[in-house]
Amino acid sequence: MTTTERLYSALVHRDPEAEQQLPAESRGAIAPNGLRLVLANSLQSSGDQVVNASTVLPWLFE
C-alpha cells in the first residue's frame, strides 16, 4: 500500500466491494484523485471563508 493510499484510507471510508466493480485501470487512480478532491474542497472552503464578509469585516474594524 502506497503512502497516497494510506493517507486516503485514513481520510475516507473506502468500500472494497465498490472498488472491485471498477475496471482494473481505474482502480489505481482512486486514491490520488480522491486526495485531489479532498484538497480542492478544503482549499475552496478556506477561500470562501477568507472572502466572507462576516469573517473579514469584524477583523478589519478591530
Side-chain angles (χ1 to χ4, degrees), residues 25-47:
E25 60 272 2
S26 298
R27 285 185 219 143
I30 293 173
N33 288 340
L35 284 178
R36 286 183 190 112
L37 184 61
V38 168
L39 179 62
N41 285 334
S42 299
L43 291 173
Q44 181 70 41
S45 295
S46 298

Side-chain angles (χ1 to χ4, degrees), residues 2-25:
T2 65
T3 305
T4 304
E5 290 175 345
R6 276 184 274 162
L7 182 58
Y8 180 70
S9 294
L11 294 174
V12 178
H13 174 72
R14 296 178 83 162
D15 186 1
E17 294 174 10
E19 289 182 16
Q20 289 301 318
Q21 294 177 359
L22 294 172
E25 60 272 2

Side-chain angles (χ1 to χ4, degrees), residues 46-59:
S46 298
D48 288 344
Q49 198 61 252
V50 166
V51 298
N52 189 353
S54 64
T55 302
V56 175
L57 291 178
W59 176 70

